[in-house]
Amino acid sequence: MHMYFLAVLTLDGYLLAPRRTQFSLSFDTYDNWCLLLPRTGSFTFEVGDVRGVARFGDIVVCPPGGTLHRRMTSPTSFFHARFSTDLVPPAGCSRVQDLARLRTNLSMLDSHSEPVVAHVVTDLILMMQRQGVRRDQVVRSATTFILDHFTSPDFSFGELAAALGISPSQLTRRFHAVHGVTPVAYLRGVRLQKARELLTETDETLQAIAVRSGYRSAFYLSRVFTNHTGQSPSAYRRSSRV
């Protein structure tokens, strides 16, 4: 069963596992995002070129198409979730600073309610995003600029990098380290989310929605939207209206 939450997260499955001595699988490859964190105990992990040991307070995130290797180093209870989202979680391992908030989130999972689980996963992602952006002022400035100017069809990452005093390659590397995706992919995600909102909440033409989402034409928006969501804008509008 799929659960939609705030139009930004689709929960594809989850597991709240009691204490055990090993994972059922030592690795797995996922079509969508996945999140794994220990409630007690610890485990080693490897995602891409990132590896380490996860303990309480660590959240391991594997991006779509990625492979997550894991092995328990002590008996561990854990939370695992698979989901699709427009929030762009930071791939790899993030250390949560607000442990009290993490404990509150995890205690909510005991209800085994899908809306609650979707809420918890969303909040965990937002916590990781805020922490990552705070650690890198350049990425924070770049993220703010993208959110403020995504409607411009002439958006230039070269000009943005120059304004920040770094090279385009440095911007891409640092941005990816924080958000888990490139600046180009992040911008596309923001634009497509705006298009989704307008398709659902307004009766505007596709051309008007394209302009308000940062695309020059309805044709180009339709092509990008279909390629990245699997639905045409018109099909999405029909299926999302209540």
Side-chain angles (χ1 to χ4, degrees):
M1 176 179 179
H2 288 184
M3 179 60 62
Y4 293 88
F5 182 78
L6 297 180
V8 294
L9 188 141
T10 305
L11 186 65
D12 298 319
Y14 66 93
L15 173 64
L16 187 64
R19 189 179 182 187
R20 59 173 66 169
T21 58
Q22 63 183 8
F23 292 107
S24 298
L25 299 173
S26 60
F27 69 91
D28 205 351
T29 301
Y30 301 93
D31 294 331
N32 295 319
W33 292 93
C34 93
L35 173 153
L36 178 66
L37 63 88
R39 302 183 75 182
T40 63
S42 60
F43 59 83
T44 61
F45 67 88
E46 181 179 343
V47 180
D49 58 357
V50 179
R51 62 184 65 186
V53 178
R55 300 177 177 83
F56 178 76
D58 294 321
I59 303 176
V60 178
V61 174
C62 183
T67 299
L68 171 60
H69 297 262
R70 60 281 181 118
R71 182 179 63 82
M72 291 184 183
T73 56
S74 65
T76 301
S77 61
F78 61 88
F79 172 58
H80 178 261
R82 293 176 289 105
F83 53 94
S84 302
T85 183
D86 297 312
L87 292 174
V88 193
C93 183
S94 297
R95 180 70 184 174
V96 173
Q97 297 171 358
D98 191 344
L99 295 181
R101 182 170 173 176
L102 175 61
R103 290 189 180 93
T104 299
N105 272 325
L106 295 181
S107 68
M108 295 170 63
L109 295 173
D110 293 325
S111 70
H112 293 286
S113 164
E114 286 200 19
V116 171
V117 175
H119 166 79
V120 169
V121 173
T122 301
D123 194 55
L124 293 176
I125 294 170
L126 292 174
M127 289 171 65
M128 290 186 287
Q129 285 185 323
R130 284 193 291 268
Q131 289 183 183
V133 172
R134 282 199 298 266
R135 285 195 295 268
D136 192 321
Q137 182 59 46
V138 168
V139 174
R140 182 176 182 177
S141 297
T143 304
T144 299
F145 189 88
I146 291 172
L147 295 175
D148 288 343
H149 298 88
F150 72 91
T151 58
S152 172
D154 298 317
F155 194 103
S156 169
F157 284 107
E159 293 178 2
L160 174 57
L164 295 172
I166 59 176
S167 68
S169 61
Q170 286 177 311
L171 173 61
T172 297
R173 177 180 57 78
R174 292 171 67 167
F175 198 96
H176 192 281
V178 171
H179 288 295
V181 295
T182 65
V184 172
Y186 187 89
L187 173 63
R188 182 176 61 241
V190 172
R191 285 174 167 170
L192 290 178
Q193 178 57 25
K194 182 64 175 179
R196 287 187 183 93
E197 293 173 1
L198 295 173
L199 287 166
T200 303
E201 300 170 5
T202 77
D203 293 316
E204 294 184 15
T205 66
L206 189 57
Q207 177 61 35
I209 291 174
V211 171
R212 293 184 61 186
S213 302
Y215 295 102
R216 294 188 184 278
S217 70
F219 173 78
Y220 188 60
L221 168 59
S222 181
R223 187 174 68 179
V224 175
F225 195 98
T226 303
N227 286 343
H228 290 278
T229 70
Q231 283 184 297
S232 68
S234 58
Y236 180 84
R237 172 173 264 172
R238 287 194 301 270
S239 65
S240 300
R241 289 290 179 89
V242 176

